[in-house]
Amino acid sequence: MSPFRPDLFAGRVALLTGGGTGITRGIAEALAAHGCETVLVSRKADHVQKAAREIEDTFHQKCHPIEADVRHPDALEAAAAHVVKTCGRFDILVNGAAGNFLCASADLSPNGFGTVIDIDAKGTFNACRAAYHAWMGANGGSILNISATLHYGGTPAQVHVAAAKAAVDALTRTLAVEWGPRGIRSNAIAPGPIGDTEGARRLFPGEAGERLASLVPTRRLGKIADIAMLALFVLSDAGSNLNGAIIPSDGGLALAGSFSHTLDAVVAAMPKSAQP
Ligand code: COA
């Protein structure tokens, strides 16, 4: 159940990369549920067409599918121009397209490293640039990048993703300063482990997920809905003074770090009166 009013984004238009599945699909649905016209960009045509149909049927808001790979700047420029032509405006850009797999650094090929940099970091830049030239540079807008928390420390087997998300953070902050005077807000959400995504099912299935949840200070994994509601806040007027913010939504996991492994033992060793 959303705490926001149903017409929060009435009359607005949002383009979401990677909008066909997972976290970005959840954000697209939340925007549509609050009156926003949405455009989903994915490199998989059947995927994105099905998602757009389902969003239109469920939320009775226009949802347009566009087949494009964020690694191709020309394709994103065409997508951005199409949004302005078809929808008449382009208020919101959500950069959710991402690649991820586990691979030990020594085994990762240069092309494997570069592929994730190309999708996450360069893809985010390509979409921001396209949005700027098509609409936002002259009219303002709001950009939301999907980052991560895994690069705050060191996460084994994720060197490619950590490097890519660090670049996304740098881009978020830089555009906030450079494009802020144009009325463009640039922010990011940094999800921790989100249990109900395809990525989670691949990266930490079953018991691994339960063990991970036990390390989170809130003792649960995140949900797509957690990220979607936070996105609504950041993108709405409620977040109008947020610019360059990178907001973790991870139940405090990144703060707990390795200490969380021993947290329960530490708490149990405390005097009873001091135990939480
Ligand atoms: N382990 C190690 N290397 C991998 C890999 C894995 N699991 N998956 C891809 N790579 C490497 C490939 O070997 C290749 O490098 P090489 O040419 O040196 O062999 C390089 O990455 C590109 O792979 P390719 O499959 O050709 O690229 P792609 O553009 O088709 O897809 C991904 C790249 C990352 C999107 C793809 O691996 C994928 O579909 N991942 C799952 C979907 C996903 O990540 N969703 C987002 C959830 S957060």
Side-chain angles (χ1 to χ4, degrees):
M1 188 65 183
S2 166
F4 298 102
R5 32 166 246 266
D7 64 344
L8 193 62
F9 290 94
R12 308 265 190 96
V13 173
L15 180 147
L16 305 95
T17 69
T21 54
I23 288 175
T24 331
R25 164 77 182 257
I27 297 173
E29 290 185 2
L31 285 167
H34 294 79
C36 194
E37 183 169 351
T38 51
V39 181
L40 308 184
V41 172
S42 164
R43 67 179 169 141
K44 295 177 190 148
D46 49 341
H47 230 101
V48 80
Q49 278 160 11
K50 183 167 173 284
R53 255 196 327 272
E54 287 169 359
I55 287 178
E56 280 202 348
D57 289 349
T58 308
F59 301 104
H60 311 294
Q61 292 293 338
K62 279 189 193 159
C63 182
H64 314 265
I66 294 184
E67 181 190 354
D69 189 323
V70 295
R71 289 173 282 192
H72 301 148
D74 294 353
L76 285 178
E77 278 165 29
H82 182 74
V83 171
V84 174
K85 189 162 172 241
T86 313
C87 311
R89 52 193 299 137
F90 184 171
D91 308 283
I92 292 166
L93 169 67
V94 178
N95 284 300
N100 195 359
F101 50 81
L102 293 172
C103 187
S105 301
D107 298 330
L108 183 64
S109 73
N111 190 39
F113 184 88
T115 297
V116 174
I117 297 285
D118 283 346
I119 298 171
D120 294 28
K122 290 164 81 172
T124 296
F125 173 73
N126 292 338
C128 290
R129 188 176 183 280
Y132 182 93
H133 288 298
W135 178 265
M136 292 188 184
N139 302 283
S142 189
I143 295 169
L144 177 65
N145 298 323
I146 305 304
S147 183
T149 56
L150 50 81
H151 54 298
Y152 296 175
T155 305
Q158 293 273 265
V159 70
H160 42 317
V161 182
K165 295 301 191 184
V168 168
D169 288 358
L171 196 144
T172 303
R173 292 193 179 102
T174 304
L175 296 189
V177 173
E178 204 175 313
W179 292 356
R182 298 246 170 201
I184 304 172
R185 296 192 294 116
S186 167
N187 294 292
I189 293 176
I194 304 299
D196 51 352
T197 58
E198 183 256 323
R201 284 187 279 278
R202 247 179 332 106
L203 299 178
F204 39 91
E207 218 179 280
E210 284 162 32
R211 267 206 303 279
L212 186 55
S214 76
L215 301 177
V216 180
T218 52
R219 297 294 185 264
R220 72 167 177 91
L221 299 178
K223 298 184 195 128
I224 290 174
D226 295 322
I227 307 302
M229 289 302 111
L230 180 55
L232 295 191
F233 173 81
V234 174
L235 292 168
S236 73
D237 291 344
S240 65
N241 198 35
L242 285 177
N243 190 28
I246 296 164
I247 307 172
S249 177
D250 70 339
L253 180 62
L255 291 175
S258 58
F259 179 67
S260 64
H261 291 274
T262 52
L263 188 61
D264 288 341
V266 170
V267 169
M270 285 176 175
K272 281 262 175 298
S273 59
Q275 286 183 10

